[in-house]
Amino acid sequence: MKTVKKVDGRSEKARQTRARILDAAGELFVRDGYGATALQDIADEAGCAVQTIYYSFGNKQTVLKELVDRTIAGDDEPVATMDRPWFRQAMEAATAAEHLRLHVSGTRAVLERVAPIMKVLEAAAAADPGIAALWPNQEDPRLIVQTAAAASLLGKPGARTDLTVERAADILFGLLSPELYLLLVTGRHWSPADWETWSRQTLETQLCKRRDFDATRY
């Protein structure tokens, strides 16, 4: 007789409660600021007891960290960026130009989610030295991702042959950074679509052979 695995109702309820808490925290942190938002405010917005937040997260710093991590990923699934469908699709592209098109498009989706919370994180870190300790000193995860993308891209038809993986990764790391996205989209009021087109054009001139793309088509 086939055994049917039962869904753990308590685990699912706890997951939903955590999601509500993070949703509430994100809305309040962006609207009112990290410093001005108390755990009781988050509890009221999420419709739960403040003790539930202490039990699930421990403190407000951890709420912020998990909010940032979830925002970058796009969901609460334990799937690394390099295993995400958008990243894998770009890695499997046949040419360097197509790889860039898919990679920039996927990065735009991440940055559109992340941009508001990055401003919160910057302000929170300035006011609370303990925030920086939530991410121990280690190689920047973004650089690891961009290095993998660069190594794959440089091995494809249409890529420049005079670049090292390290230099290509640095170019991707800098041009696709949250800081530059915020500067242009928030600071200079570019649309995300304008940012995507400009980033793709700029990266093609930096990473692809000139004959393999035509800048006039944009």
Side-chain angles (χ1 to χ4, degrees), residues 12-201:
E12 177 60 19
K13 183 177 180 180
R15 187 194 68 78
Q16 293 176 359
T17 299
R18 287 175 64 87
R20 287 203 316 274
I21 291 169
L22 292 176
D23 288 344
E27 181 177 342
L28 293 173
F29 288 163
V30 171
R31 188 187 73 193
D32 302 331
Y34 174 82
T37 300
L39 287 182
Q40 185 63 60
D41 298 326
I42 298 173
D44 292 342
E45 185 72 20
C48 68
V50 71
Q51 289 82 2
T52 301
I53 301 180
Y54 283 116
Y55 178 78
S56 300
F57 297 93
N59 55 43
K60 191 167 71 168
Q61 290 180 343
T62 305
V63 172
L64 177 62
K65 181 183 187 304
E66 296 208 19
L67 175 64
V68 171
D69 291 344
R70 189 187 70 164
T71 302
I72 292 171
D75 55 46
D76 56 5
E77 296 297 323
V79 179
T81 297
M82 289 190 288
D83 293 324
R84 295 274 164 176
W86 71 267
F87 188 85
R88 298 307 312 169
Q89 186 180 10
M91 295 285 278
E92 293 164 5
T95 66
E98 179 65 6
H99 188 144
L100 277 178
R101 184 186 70 79
L102 293 168
H103 188 68
V104 173
S105 177
T107 301
R108 169 188 165 182
V110 173
L111 291 176
E112 283 189 271
R113 293 194 304 268
V114 168
I117 206 66
M118 289 303 293
K119 295 177 69 175
V120 171
L121 181 60
E122 182 180 357
D128 183 353
I131 295 296
L134 296 175
W135 289 271
N137 291 330
Q138 57 184 0
E139 188 173 7
D140 192 315
R142 280 205 317 112
L143 183 57
I144 294 173
V145 169
Q146 301 300 1
T147 299
S152 175
L153 187 148
L154 290 184
K156 294 176 178 176
R160 283 176 55 182
T161 58
D162 59 337
L163 290 175
T164 64
V165 170
E166 181 180 18
R167 177 57 61 89
D170 286 346
I171 292 169
L172 289 169
F173 183 75
L175 285 174
L176 300 181
S177 66
E179 294 83 1
L180 184 54
Y181 178 89
L182 283 169
L183 175 65
L184 296 176
V185 174
T186 302
R188 300 305 306 158
H189 310 296
W190 287 26
S191 71
D194 286 341
W195 173 89
E196 181 178 346
T197 297
W198 175 82
S199 296
R200 186 175 68 246
Q201 284 180 295

